[in-house]
Amino acid sequence: MLSSACPILIAACGNAMAGDDAFGPRVAEVLIRKRLPAVEIVNLGTKPGGLLDHLPGPQLLLVVDAAVQDDKPVGHLIELDWFAPSRPPPAHEAVLSSHGVSIADEIGLADRLGMLPRHVHLVACTIGSTHSGQPMHEAVQRQVPPAARRIAAYVGHWLEKSHKP
Amino acid sequence: MSNSNNKNPDTRTIRVGAIARVEGEGSLHLSMRQGKVEQVRLQIYEPPRFFEALLRGRHFQEVPDITARICGICPVAYQMGSCHALEKALGAFDAVDPAIRTLRDLLYCGEWIESHVMHMFMLHLPDFLGYQSMIAMAEDHGPVVRKALRIKKAGNAIIATLGGRSVHPVGVCVGGFYCAPDPQRIAELLPEVRACLDLMSELTLFLAEQVDFPDFQRDYEFVALCPDDAYPMNLGRIKSSKGLDVDQADFAQAIEERHLEHSTALYSAIRGRGGYLVGPLARLNLNAEKLHPQAAELLREVSGTIGQSLPWRNNFLSLLARAIEVTHALATAADILEAYAPPTRSRVPITPRAGTGGHGTEAPRGICWHQYTTQEDGSIAHARIIPPTSQNQLMIEQDLYEIAQRVVDLSDEQAALQCERVIRNYDPCISCSVHFLKFTRTWQGPRTPQKAPSQ
């Protein structure tokens, strides 16, 4: 019913009405306008627990989210493989999510149940305030177009690679 | 996550980082004297979001979309509460077609299914089966989790069919829906909903047979909508197990909301009596005879298995109450889908006018009551929203008071875990009501050994 028939799933997380937490949804809006081939884009909004509704099926999952990294300034773009040993552990659920099930939990559960695509890639931006009703920090806002471009490029490379014999 | 400060043998503080597997942030402080609980305080520190103020001056038709943003888990409850209350304010309540009301019930079925299943199998069941998280539980109970995920997905599919999308749906408007669902889409949903109904019956019996529920009987005043002819969702007078019986519009006069210094949320109490409990346990205890026949049959089987007939006064049994309600919602949804024919109109026309209307509907966590005053041009002059978790807050504190006395001899970490379990019985939605949980326990005077908890 909701499961994706596309090989690539882009899942954006965040509260569009809560300052810098809107990063993911804003990137998703830009990506939707790009009409990328073979891609389904879902805005999970404040309900990351909806990710599993779209799995299994896709071979590549791209997660777009807000991030907190103490040693980086607000507005720093992070891009990494979810399974890379160098990936820092997810922030405690209460820090970034008040929605019971975090995106890290969803990915962990999908992995445990064998529903996760082999390739999971995270694109995130370090953020400052997540207060309701606040606008996005300018430094975060500036990273929306570059993040969308990076994702589009990643999708292009991945499709090219996956079509090679 | 907990740590202790045990340098002074007479005083002890346990701190638990923001509690996992509930929604929102806050802290719990237990003050102990001579081994007894002196004070329980839920300190709510998540900042209020001022939605009621935000609505002032907005056009009435914007309200369902704005209030849906209060919660990512139960947006339908906020949409239904606002639509019904505004239809009363605008004089259109009685004009809403039965077919539209049926579609609203279908939408609510989707939300109950999705929200309840997520709470039961991802957030609550790990407590009962002794796992730290759903991920750990999935290792040993993969088939159970897979079935639950399939059912949750069906709930979301129902919401998406009527609301346009499952996250913050946008298909609802004051007067009905922006458009009625396509019969083809409805037909596609039906077999999956039927399949999920069978799965849910299996899972409910699994819970009844496998879960050992702690003994925790309390004399709650249960409060729920009580329609004459159906299990409650959107309509009905508001009644209680101890004699409250009011029209929807009078609910705000029957209760009082108090602000306490330690919380950013309001505490609700029935005037002259005190705290009360809303949610699945209250609904089931007050309305069991109106369950869908398939859910009623399952309830009989479950009651026999656990050896307890209604009323259930143990809030740990809310796990089973939710399971029965999911079965009811799936069976009701299947009936509505099967009988579906596109309505002659998807919404009734609304003419702006000045007025006031109050109405509550049954969110997964309990009554979500809204009141609006509109001006001549249809803009909002005043809004008031009483979410279920703030109504349950006093009961949560009282439950914690009880459980805290049973955990005196437990280690800090185990004591904190017991308190968290009690809180998760309520499936609290702090995103909605602005709260929850860090845990501290301080001791004054010598600790007197007390009886260990039964679980």
Side-chain angles (χ1 to χ4, degrees), chain B residues 12-32:
Chain B
R12 184 166 70 150
T13 302
I14 304 169
R15 297 180 197 285
V16 178
I19 194 172
R21 290 186 276 134
V22 300
E23 299 176 25
E25 295 176 40
S27 66
L28 167 65
H29 177 83
L30 299 183
S31 175
M32 313 290 290

mmCIF file of all heavy atoms in Angstrom, chain B residues 12-32:
data_model
loop_
_atom_site.group_PDB
_atom_site.id
_atom_site.type_symbol
_atom_site.label_atom_id
_atom_site.label_comp_id
_atom_site.label_asym_id
_atom_site.label_seq_id
_atom_site.Cartn_x
_atom_site.Cartn_y
_atom_site.Cartn_z
ATOM 1 N N ARG B 12 19.075 10.447 49.526
ATOM 2 C CA ARG B 12 19.523 9.845 48.278
ATOM 3 C C ARG B 12 18.794 10.515 47.125
ATOM 4 O O ARG B 12 17.588 10.770 47.210
ATOM 5 C CB ARG B 12 19.235 8.349 48.261
ATOM 6 C CG ARG B 12 19.784 7.677 47.002
ATOM 7 C CD ARG B 12 19.812 6.176 47.122
ATOM 8 N NE ARG B 12 18.472 5.600 47.113
ATOM 9 C CZ ARG B 12 18.195 4.393 46.651
ATOM 10 N NH1 ARG B 12 19.153 3.641 46.171
ATOM 11 N NH2 ARG B 12 16.976 3.928 46.697
ATOM 12 N N THR B 13 19.516 10.776 46.092
ATOM 13 C CA THR B 13 18.900 11.351 44.900
ATOM 14 C C THR B 13 19.179 10.454 43.712
ATOM 15 O O THR B 13 20.311 10.041 43.500
ATOM 16 C CB THR B 13 19.480 12.750 44.594
ATOM 17 O OG1 THR B 13 19.259 13.570 45.739
ATOM 18 C CG2 THR B 13 18.805 13.361 43.386
ATOM 19 N N ILE B 14 18.144 10.129 43.010
ATOM 20 C CA ILE B 14 18.316 9.348 41.783
ATOM 21 C C ILE B 14 17.945 10.255 40.626
ATOM 22 O O ILE B 14 16.912 10.915 40.657
ATOM 23 C CB ILE B 14 17.378 8.131 41.759
ATOM 24 C CG1 ILE B 14 17.612 7.279 42.995
ATOM 25 C CG2 ILE B 14 17.574 7.323 40.494
ATOM 26 C CD1 ILE B 14 16.556 6.224 43.185
ATOM 27 N N ARG B 15 18.793 10.291 39.658
ATOM 28 C CA ARG B 15 18.474 11.110 38.482
ATOM 29 C C ARG B 15 18.355 10.199 37.267
ATOM 30 O O ARG B 15 19.198 9.340 37.054
ATOM 31 C CB ARG B 15 19.574 12.137 38.219
ATOM 32 C CG ARG B 15 19.746 13.126 39.337
ATOM 33 C CD ARG B 15 20.858 14.117 39.012
ATOM 34 N NE ARG B 15 21.292 14.804 40.219
ATOM 35 C CZ ARG B 15 20.600 15.765 40.810
ATOM 36 N NH1 ARG B 15 19.471 16.175 40.286
ATOM 37 N NH2 ARG B 15 21.045 16.335 41.917
ATOM 38 N N VAL B 16 17.322 10.425 36.530
ATOM 39 C CA VAL B 16 17.135 9.669 35.289
ATOM 40 C C VAL B 16 17.060 10.669 34.152
ATOM 41 O O VAL B 16 16.273 11.612 34.225
ATOM 42 C CB VAL B 16 15.833 8.854 35.319
ATOM 43 C CG1 VAL B 16 15.639 8.108 34.009
ATOM 44 C CG2 VAL B 16 15.869 7.887 36.472
ATOM 45 N N GLY B 17 17.889 10.475 33.147
ATOM 46 C CA GLY B 17 17.835 11.362 31.987
ATOM 47 C C GLY B 17 16.465 11.295 31.362
ATOM 48 O O GLY B 17 15.662 10.451 31.707
ATOM 49 N N ALA B 18 16.189 12.205 30.447
ATOM 50 C CA ALA B 18 14.859 12.281 29.839
ATOM 51 C C ALA B 18 14.380 10.884 29.490
ATOM 52 O O ALA B 18 15.074 10.123 28.835
ATOM 53 C CB ALA B 18 14.901 13.146 28.595
ATOM 54 N N ILE B 19 13.194 10.568 29.947
ATOM 55 C CA ILE B 19 12.699 9.206 29.848
ATOM 56 C C ILE B 19 12.536 8.792 28.386
ATOM 57 O O ILE B 19 12.142 9.589 27.542
ATOM 58 C CB ILE B 19 11.367 9.065 30.598
ATOM 59 C CG1 ILE B 19 11.004 7.601 30.793
ATOM 60 C CG2 ILE B 19 10.259 9.787 29.890
ATOM 61 C CD1 ILE B 19 9.802 7.426 31.688
ATOM 62 N N ALA B 20 12.879 7.548 28.120
ATOM 63 C CA ALA B 20 12.722 7.040 26.756
ATOM 64 C C ALA B 20 11.319 6.467 26.582
ATOM 65 O O ALA B 20 10.643 6.134 27.547
ATOM 66 C CB ALA B 20 13.749 5.947 26.493
ATOM 67 N N ARG B 21 10.931 6.338 25.363
ATOM 68 C CA ARG B 21 9.676 5.699 24.980
ATOM 69 C C ARG B 21 8.424 6.379 25.533
ATOM 70 O O ARG B 21 7.435 5.742 25.802
ATOM 71 C CB ARG B 21 9.719 4.203 25.321
ATOM 72 C CG ARG B 21 10.685 3.468 24.410
ATOM 73 C CD ARG B 21 10.638 1.967 24.617
ATOM 74 N NE ARG B 21 11.470 1.542 25.699
ATOM 75 C CZ ARG B 21 11.100 0.684 26.641
ATOM 76 N NH1 ARG B 21 9.886 0.197 26.632
ATOM 77 N NH2 ARG B 21 11.919 0.330 27.576
ATOM 78 N N VAL B 22 8.486 7.662 25.797
ATOM 79 C CA VAL B 22 7.281 8.488 25.902
ATOM 80 C C VAL B 22 7.568 9.689 25.008
ATOM 81 O O VAL B 22 8.673 9.844 24.516
ATOM 82 C CB VAL B 22 6.948 8.966 27.332
ATOM 83 C CG1 VAL B 22 6.738 7.792 28.253
ATOM 84 C CG2 VAL B 22 8.033 9.879 27.860
ATOM 85 N N GLU B 23 6.590 10.533 24.840
ATOM 86 C CA GLU B 23 6.782 11.642 23.919
ATOM 87 C C GLU B 23 6.910 12.960 24.667
ATOM 88 O O GLU B 23 5.975 13.415 25.291
ATOM 89 C CB GLU B 23 5.611 11.706 22.961
ATOM 90 C CG GLU B 23 5.529 10.444 22.163
ATOM 91 C CD GLU B 23 4.336 10.451 21.281
ATOM 92 O OE1 GLU B 23 3.872 11.532 20.949
ATOM 93 O OE2 GLU B 23 3.881 9.367 20.937
ATOM 94 N N GLY B 24 8.079 13.563 24.617
ATOM 95 C CA GLY B 24 8.256 14.865 25.221
ATOM 96 C C GLY B 24 9.252 14.823 26.362
ATOM 97 O O GLY B 24 9.923 13.822 26.576
ATOM 98 N N GLU B 25 9.358 15.922 27.070
ATOM 99 C CA GLU B 25 10.398 16.023 28.082
ATOM 100 C C GLU B 25 9.872 16.579 29.392
ATOM 101 O O GLU B 25 8.967 17.389 29.412
ATOM 102 C CB GLU B 25 11.517 16.923 27.583
ATOM 103 C CG GLU B 25 12.248 16.355 26.387
ATOM 104 C CD GLU B 25 13.286 17.317 25.869
ATOM 105 O OE1 GLU B 25 13.959 17.954 26.691
ATOM 106 O OE2 GLU B 25 13.399 17.431 24.652
ATOM 107 N N GLY B 26 10.522 16.174 30.468
ATOM 108 C CA GLY B 26 10.169 16.665 31.780
ATOM 109 C C GLY B 26 10.942 15.878 32.808
ATOM 110 O O GLY B 26 11.860 15.136 32.476
ATOM 111 N N SER B 27 10.590 16.017 34.056
ATOM 112 C CA SER B 27 11.316 15.272 35.077
ATOM 113 C C SER B 27 10.371 14.856 36.191
ATOM 114 O O SER B 27 9.311 15.452 36.389
ATOM 115 C CB SER B 27 12.441 16.123 35.648
ATOM 116 O OG SER B 27 11.901 17.222 36.349
ATOM 117 N N LEU B 28 10.776 13.804 36.878
ATOM 118 C CA LEU B 28 10.000 13.318 38.017
ATOM 119 C C LEU B 28 10.872 13.420 39.255
ATOM 120 O O LEU B 28 12.024 13.000 39.250
ATOM 121 C CB LEU B 28 9.596 11.857 37.783
ATOM 122 C CG LEU B 28 9.048 11.115 39.006
ATOM 123 C CD1 LEU B 28 7.741 11.733 39.469
ATOM 124 C CD2 LEU B 28 8.853 9.646 38.690
ATOM 125 N N HIS B 29 10.329 14.015 40.299
ATOM 126 C CA HIS B 29 11.063 14.101 41.551
ATOM 127 C C HIS B 29 10.253 13.419 42.642
ATOM 128 O O HIS B 29 9.091 13.757 42.868
ATOM 129 C CB HIS B 29 11.308 15.559 41.931
ATOM 130 C CG HIS B 29 11.990 15.709 43.253
ATOM 131 N ND1 HIS B 29 13.351 15.599 43.394
ATOM 132 C CD2 HIS B 29 11.495 15.916 44.489
ATOM 133 C CE1 HIS B 29 13.665 15.741 44.669
ATOM 134 N NE2 HIS B 29 12.553 15.933 45.364
ATOM 135 N N LEU B 30 10.869 12.456 43.297
ATOM 136 C CA LEU B 30 10.230 11.797 44.434
ATOM 137 C C LEU B 30 10.956 12.228 45.700
ATOM 138 O O LEU B 30 12.172 12.096 45.800
ATOM 139 C CB LEU B 30 10.340 10.275 44.314
ATOM 140 C CG LEU B 30 9.691 9.609 43.110
ATOM 141 C CD1 LEU B 30 9.858 8.100 43.214
ATOM 142 C CD2 LEU B 30 8.222 9.957 43.032
ATOM 143 N N SER B 31 10.198 12.739 46.655
ATOM 144 C CA SER B 31 10.783 13.139 47.918
ATOM 145 C C SER B 31 10.392 12.103 48.973
ATOM 146 O O SER B 31 9.207 11.851 49.195
ATOM 147 C CB SER B 31 10.246 14.523 48.286
ATOM 148 O OG SER B 31 10.714 14.880 49.554
ATOM 149 N N MET B 32 11.391 11.487 49.608
ATOM 150 C CA MET B 32 11.147 10.407 50.567
ATOM 151 C C MET B 32 11.529 10.873 51.967
ATOM 152 O O MET B 32 12.569 11.506 52.157
ATOM 153 C CB MET B 32 11.991 9.179 50.205
ATOM 154 C CG MET B 32 11.969 8.757 48.753
ATOM 155 S SD MET B 32 10.406 8.062 48.228
ATOM 156 C CE MET B 32 10.400 6.513 49.112
#
